[in-house]
Amino acid sequence: MSAPLPIKLYMHSGAVGGPNPYKVLIVLHHLDIPFTKVATDDSKAEWYVKDINPNGRIPAIEDPNTGLTLWESGAIIEYLVDEYDKGGKISVKNGKGAWEAKQYLHFQMSGQGPYFGQAVWFYRFGDNMPDGKKRYLEQVERVMMVLNNILEGKEYLVDDRLTYADLAFVPWNMVVQKWPLLSDPLWKPYQIEEKYPNFVKWQNKLCALDAVKRSYEP
Amino acid sequence: MSAPLPIKLYMHSGAVGGPNPYKVLIVLHHLDIPFTKVATDDSKAEWYVKDINPNGRIPAIEDPNTGLTLWESGAIIEYLVDEYDKGGKISVKNGKGAWEAKQYLHFQMSGQGPYFGQAVWFYRFGDNMPDGKKRYLEQVERVMMVLNNILEGKEYLVDDRLTYADLAFVPWNMVVQKWPLLSDPLWKPYQIEEKYPNFVKWQNKLCALDAVKRSYEP
């Protein structure tokens, strides 16, 4: 079989940008799928909204091997492992584990991402809205608590081995780790490292993966 | 083949409750899958968090036919159509359309649901946070605009026929339609009916489906 043509990944070009494209980038690196980045610093640009993603957000991909254009990082991850992870390196092909991986991916997409994203927004713009700021810090902590409980006695979310479900959580966790959120006086009392050691250990182990490091290289 | 045993659907028992369980209920009705509701009015109850959903949210299902317990409405919908819609009544089994349906499901889970949910929260509790309230009303409108654009010249999201992707959007759209949001002075200028006719026509057509009506019967 000849090598696949590189997948086009639409994402921001600079060092600063939202975490969602990194979810896709990590999976591309981990599966050694050839790709090229297409600089998309204005995701509301007319060409992009018209031809690539009507939602005006990054990431999106175009796969010249199949002719597919796809947006929403969760769907892109599912597509990449279905098409390019036939050996099941980070995917689960059948049964209970396959559905659990999808469940956690949806939790990442609907629970972790949106709440962490709102926390960042309120951290930046919410000084006049302390109740809003507090709400999202509490939700961030709640998601960390849930993940910590799920990881009790386990190294990974599904079948005790690394899957795409784990990888999908990395970029938003990383934002919260790096963001001054953690030094916010509102946040300190939560004592994440002390209270949620399973969560912290899991995230640190994922961040040590080559694919994650390569995804964040300048 | 003998009839499947009823699926247990964990959701609130009263008339008032969040929209996410209705996404699953509509799919169960539309595919005529036998089910029983398990009243779950306290989704943080110890038994529920321990045995059913560590995230402490509804819906969740248990399928006695396969032994699977699953949470996250998006994953549950994918499971139900995979297992109980072999004929493809509302699912797309292969190719471009299959990935588009997943893409829209993820957009519902990560885009529509969370933003609409925050808008409702700020509508209820955000009188002292006009900037927050405005942010989420604007996001609700933005999602409606995106859907309206996608639906230009189309009756449904994927392959011009009804799929689970359409159905997944119904309950949160319905919340916004029914909620006093629409009579909020902040909201009126958006003129949803005038500006987004594709969106409104689509939602009204979906609401007229038997499966949707039956899902909301007291």
Side-chain angles (χ1 to χ4, degrees):
Chain A
M1 203 176 78
S2 59
L5 298 169
I7 287 172
K8 282 188 193 173
L9 170 62
Y10 294 84
M11 69 178 286
H12 51 82
S13 61
V16 178
N20 287 324
Y22 288 103
K23 294 193 270 176
V24 175
L25 201 52
I26 291 169
V27 170
L28 288 167
H29 276 302
H30 197 79
L31 293 177
D32 282 321
I33 303 169
F35 68 93
T36 51
K37 288 187 194 176
V38 182
T40 312
D41 292 310
D42 177 9
S43 64
K44 310 286 183 200
E46 197 181 332
W47 68 272
Y48 184 72
V49 171
K50 183 171 169 290
D51 293 332
I52 308 298
N53 183 353
N55 190 33
R57 298 278 174 99
I58 51 171
I61 63 162
E62 274 185 290
D63 185 346
N65 304 288
T66 60
L68 188 71
T69 300
L70 199 66
W71 43 281
E72 283 296 335
S73 55
I76 296 171
I77 290 172
E78 288 197 75
Y79 170 75
L80 291 176
V81 299
D82 188 75
E83 192 73 27
Y84 295 100
D85 187 25
K86 302 293 186 193
K89 186 177 177 186
I90 52 167
S91 53
V92 190
K93 293 299 178 191
N94 293 298
K96 192 162 171 276
W99 291 111
E100 284 180 356
K102 275 189 207 290
Q103 165 191 284
Y104 291 124
L105 181 65
H106 278 287
F107 178 45
Q108 191 286 309
M109 291 292 287
S110 67
Q112 186 222 26
Y115 280 128
F116 284 34
Q118 302 322 304
V120 169
W121 192 88
F122 275 86
Y123 186 79
R124 293 175 68 176
F125 306 116
D127 280 347
N128 64 339
M129 295 178 277
D131 292 350
K133 201 165 169 175
K134 185 160 173 285
R135 165 175 165 77
Y136 292 106
L137 287 174
E138 284 175 355
Q139 287 299 324
V140 166
E141 194 216 4
R142 199 190 70 77
V143 169
M144 289 178 174
M145 178 198 72
V146 168
L147 287 165
N148 192 71
N149 290 343
I150 291 168
L151 289 162
E152 184 65 37
K154 300 201 295 189
E155 296 287 308
Y156 299 101
L157 294 172
V158 181
D159 289 355
D160 222 21
R161 66 182 184 84
L162 179 70
T163 67
Y164 68 84
D166 302 292
L167 296 177
F169 282 92
V170 170
W172 275 109
N173 284 342
M174 203 179 274
V175 167
V176 172
Q177 283 183 311
K178 289 187 174 175
W179 200 262
L181 268 176
L182 288 177
S183 55
D184 190 288
L186 277 171
W187 183 252
K188 276 196 182 303
Y190 293 124
Q191 301 177 294
I192 299 306
E193 304 238 336
E194 292 76 11
K195 284 169 69 184
Y196 306 124
N198 305 329
F199 169 80
V200 172
K201 187 182 158 198
W202 170 69
Q203 171 69 3
N204 288 344
K205 189 170 51 191
L206 296 171
C207 285
L209 291 168
D210 272 355
V212 174
K213 288 185 199 162
R214 285 161 66 201
S215 297
Y216 285 92
E217 277 167 5
Chain B
M1 204 175 77
S2 57
L5 298 169
I7 287 172
K8 284 188 191 172
L9 170 62
Y10 294 84
M11 69 178 287
H12 51 81
S13 62
V16 177
N20 287 323
Y22 288 104
K23 294 193 270 177
V24 175
L25 201 54
I26 290 169
V27 170
L28 288 167
H29 276 302
H30 197 80
L31 294 177
D32 282 321
I33 303 169
F35 68 93
T36 51
K37 288 186 194 177
V38 182
T40 313
D41 292 310
D42 177 9
S43 64
K44 309 287 184 200
E46 196 181 332
W47 68 272
Y48 184 74
V49 171
K50 184 171 168 290
D51 293 332
I52 309 299
N53 183 352
N55 191 33
R57 298 278 174 98
I58 51 171
I61 62 162
E62 275 184 289
D63 185 346
N65 304 289
T66 60
L68 188 71
T69 301
L70 198 66
W71 44 280
E72 282 296 336
S73 55
I76 295 170
I77 290 172
E78 288 196 76
Y79 170 75
L80 291 176
V81 298
D82 188 76
E83 193 73 28
Y84 296 100
D85 187 25
K86 302 292 186 194
K89 186 177 177 186
I90 52 167
S91 53
V92 191
K93 293 301 178 190
N94 293 299
K96 192 163 171 275
W99 293 110
E100 284 180 357
K102 275 188 206 291
Q103 165 191 285
Y104 290 123
L105 181 63
H106 279 287
F107 178 44
Q108 190 285 309
M109 291 292 288
S110 68
Q112 186 222 26
Y115 280 127
F116 284 33
Q118 304 320 306
V120 170
W121 191 88
F122 275 86
Y123 186 79
R124 295 175 67 176
F125 306 116
D127 279 348
N128 64 338
M129 295 179 278
D131 291 351
K133 200 166 169 174
K134 185 161 174 286
R135 165 175 166 76
Y136 293 106
L137 287 173
E138 283 174 356
Q139 288 299 323
V140 167
E141 194 216 4
R142 199 190 71 78
V143 169
M144 289 178 174
M145 178 198 72
V146 169
L147 287 165
N148 191 70
N149 289 343
I150 291 167
L151 289 162
E152 185 65 37
K154 300 201 294 189
E155 296 287 309
Y156 299 101
L157 294 172
V158 181
D159 288 355
D160 223 20
R161 68 182 183 85
L162 178 70
T163 67
Y164 69 84
D166 302 292
L167 297 177
F169 283 92
V170 170
W172 274 109
N173 284 342
M174 204 179 275
V175 167
V176 172
Q177 282 182 312
K178 289 187 174 177
W179 199 263
L181 269 175
L182 287 176
S183 55
D184 190 288
L186 277 170
W187 183 252
K188 277 197 180 301
Y190 293 123
Q191 301 178 293
I192 298 305
E193 303 239 336
E194 292 77 10
K195 284 168 69 182
Y196 306 123
N198 305 330
F199 168 81
V200 172
K201 187 181 158 200
W202 170 68
Q203 171 69 3
N204 288 343
K205 189 170 49 190
L206 296 171
C207 286
L209 290 168
D210 272 354
V212 175
K213 288 186 199 161
R214 285 162 65 199
S215 298
Y216 286 90
E217 276 168 7

